[in-house]
Amino acid sequence: QVQLVESGGGMVQAGASLRLSCAAAGGTFNRYFMGWFRQAPGKEREFVAAITDNGGSTYYADFVQGRFTIARDNAKKMMYLQMNKLSPEDTAVYYCAARRNYSYSINTRDYFAWGQGTQVTVSS
């Protein structure tokens, strides 16, 4: 299976932007649906965004409200999450995950591979 590593997190002020990256190694990256999830202290891991194997379709949680953009570059085996207009409510550890090609899913248990996570902290 594929191995995933997130990067790009950090501490920013409300209203700022961050670009998260997810690097994949092994597996057949271009055959996986990919997703971003996040988990804040005391909360369950929640769906943020997903993208199909060829990047043709994207899906977002309601709280994104147009602020985030998910993308992938299969040639580079990379996935990205551009986050704009960040607020303190976005503070969480962000994870990338892989799901075998079938359909997109918002359920964590439908993804078979996960990265270690990258911390995003937004101060007010």
Side-chain angles (χ1 to χ4, degrees):
Q1 60 183 247
V2 66
Q3 297 180 357
L4 307 172
V5 179
E6 303 94 335
S7 62
M11 180 179 293
V12 298
Q13 294 286 316
S17 297
L18 281 174
R19 187 194 191 208
L20 305 184
S21 298
C22 175
T28 51
F29 181 73
N30 63 354
R31 296 185 180 181
Y32 302 143
F33 282 45
M34 299 294 296
W36 285 99
F37 293 77
R38 70 185 189 184
Q39 187 167 21
K43 296 184 178 180
E44 295 293 317
R45 191 169 299 185
E46 65 179 344
F47 172 77
V48 177
I51 188 167
T52 54
D53 54 354
N54 62 1
S57 298
T58 58
Y59 310 88
Y60 297 95
D62 288 343
F63 64 75
V64 168
Q65 299 179 355
R67 299 175 300 132
F68 299 174
T69 302
I70 187 172
R72 67 190 296 164
D73 185 336
N74 285 348
K76 297 181 178 180
K77 297 184 178 181
M78 295 286 291
M79 183 180 65
Y80 309 96
L81 184 68
Q82 178 66 46
M83 303 188 295
N84 301 319
K85 300 179 180 179
L86 287 164
S87 75
E89 293 179 323
D90 297 315
T91 295
V93 177
Y94 284 71
Y95 300 88
C96 65
R99 170 176 170 79
R100 290 188 172 87
N101 188 335
Y102 180 70
S103 65
Y104 96 100
S105 175
I106 65 171
N107 299 313
T108 61
R109 295 187 180 184
D110 289 332
Y111 290 78
F112 72 92
W114 295 83
Q116 84 289 349
T118 185
Q119 177 71 50
V120 172
T121 302
V122 185
S123 61
S124 60

